[in-house]
Amino acid sequence: MNNTPVIAIDGPSGSGKGTICKLLAQTLGYHLLDSGSLYRLVALAAEHHGVSMENERALADIAAHLDVQFLTSTEGDKVLLEGEDVSLAIRTETVGMNASRVASLTLVRKALEGRQRAFSEMPGLVADGRDMGTVIFPQACIKVFLTASAEERAKRRYKQLKSKGLNASLADILVDIQQRDDRDQNRSVAPLKPAADAVQIDCTHMGIDEVEQKVMTLIRNRGL
Ligand code: C5P
């Protein structure tokens, strides 16, 4: 553990964590960890290498040796897997569903722990995920658990996918979100739940600006 300030934002799929975390990292000049992208990358790499989503050992091996680069530039962020730009490919609903399957495997989660903790560097880190405040960064100085109703989250995801030009059906997305919630909350390893010391925010009826302000107030109150 080091003394780097970590802001852990956890919550279910589509709660707006990704957007909030990006904004916070920009405002604070902190590093950003999108931990979900790592599970998505494991799922996609497994697909590329013909590895079954049930083969825990092989998936853990993929997770341990993931050849990934996160590039940031003024033209937008890019994720490279084995040198290939997979920024869009990791965002499909199929990859998201497979990510939630591989994320329920203990060996896969263990294999990704060190890689996630390595993101904690000065001047600070904003960590986006399901178990940031409970497992990966239990020492985080701010922990937020961001939720919204499944229907509202499905609507937001639908709009997000459409704006990226990806094909989507609102009804299918709602079913996917409910299945993913169920899997994330009920798995035996690192289940999705608020840390005991997390501030819970239900943003079903809140805009992004309002959520960001609320979290920034928590951060400023801690003197960061
Ligand atoms: O956040 P995102 O939707 O990109 O995450 C993809 C999947 O990875 C989630 O549905 C969840 O099952 C899993 N995940 C996880 N722990 C994290 C981040 C994501 O189990 N810290």
Side-chain angles (χ1 to χ4, degrees):
M1 300 250 162
N2 57 33
N3 292 327
T4 308
V6 175
I7 296 163
I9 315 273
D10 288 305
S13 297
S15 58
K17 287 175 293 124
T19 310
I20 292 294
C21 287
K22 256 191 209 153
L23 289 170
L24 292 175
Q26 267 166 16
T27 306
L28 296 162
Y30 280 14
H31 300 281
L32 175 66
L33 165 61
D34 168 9
S35 61
S37 71
L38 293 174
Y39 292 96
R40 288 173 181 267
L41 284 158
V42 172
L44 189 64
E47 204 182 301
H48 286 175
H49 294 288
V51 169
S52 146
M53 300 299 153
E54 262 107 57
N55 188 342
E56 184 165 1
R57 286 207 174 275
L59 290 166
D61 196 51
I62 285 179
H65 300 104
L66 211 51
D67 170 7
V68 57
Q69 282 171 275
F70 293 97
L71 305 179
T72 39
S73 82
T74 43
E75 287 125 51
D77 301 341
K78 268 189 194 164
V79 186
L80 304 189
L81 175 64
E82 294 165 19
E84 184 193 339
D85 183 356
V86 294
S87 318
L88 273 184
I90 57 166
R91 296 291 154 205
T92 65
E93 292 306 291
T94 310
V95 170
M97 189 51 83
N98 284 336
S100 110
R101 292 172 70 191
V102 304
S104 67
L105 304 171
T106 309
L107 296 180
V108 172
R109 300 199 75 88
K110 282 268 162 238
L112 291 177
E113 277 186 1
R115 197 185 283 264
Q116 293 177 81
R117 293 196 178 116
F119 276 79
S120 165
E121 282 194 346
M122 288 305 229
L125 175 69
V126 179
D128 164 358
R130 306 292 189 288
D131 60 344
M132 299 295 99
T134 49
V135 177
I136 305 296
F137 302 110
Q139 82 287 8
C141 52
I142 306 271
K143 296 181 188 179
V144 171
F145 194 81
L146 193 61
T147 55
S149 71
E151 289 72 19
E152 178 61 25
R153 288 185 282 127
K155 270 193 232 158
R156 291 180 193 172
R157 183 75 91 192
Y158 176 78
K159 276 196 205 155
Q160 198 182 43
L161 290 171
K162 282 279 171 193
S163 74
K164 286 184 180 160
L166 293 169
N167 240 344
S169 134
L170 183 58
D172 289 352
I173 291 173
L174 180 58
V175 172
D176 277 5
I177 278 191
Q178 286 163 335
Q179 282 177 359
R180 223 183 292 181
D181 282 357
D182 186 54
R183 209 188 322 246
D184 287 353
Q185 285 158 0
N186 296 310
R187 67 183 172 218
S188 55
V189 51
L192 170 67
K193 62 169 188 206
D197 49 350
V199 175
Q200 298 198 41
I201 301 176
D202 181 338
C203 67
T204 306
H205 304 293
M206 286 168 83
I208 287 293
D209 291 352
E210 205 181 332
V211 179
E212 191 201 3
Q213 262 176 30
K214 213 172 164 137
V215 182
M216 276 309 293
T217 304
L218 294 174
I219 294 170
R220 295 304 183 206
N221 286 347
R222 289 296 301 265
L224 294 173

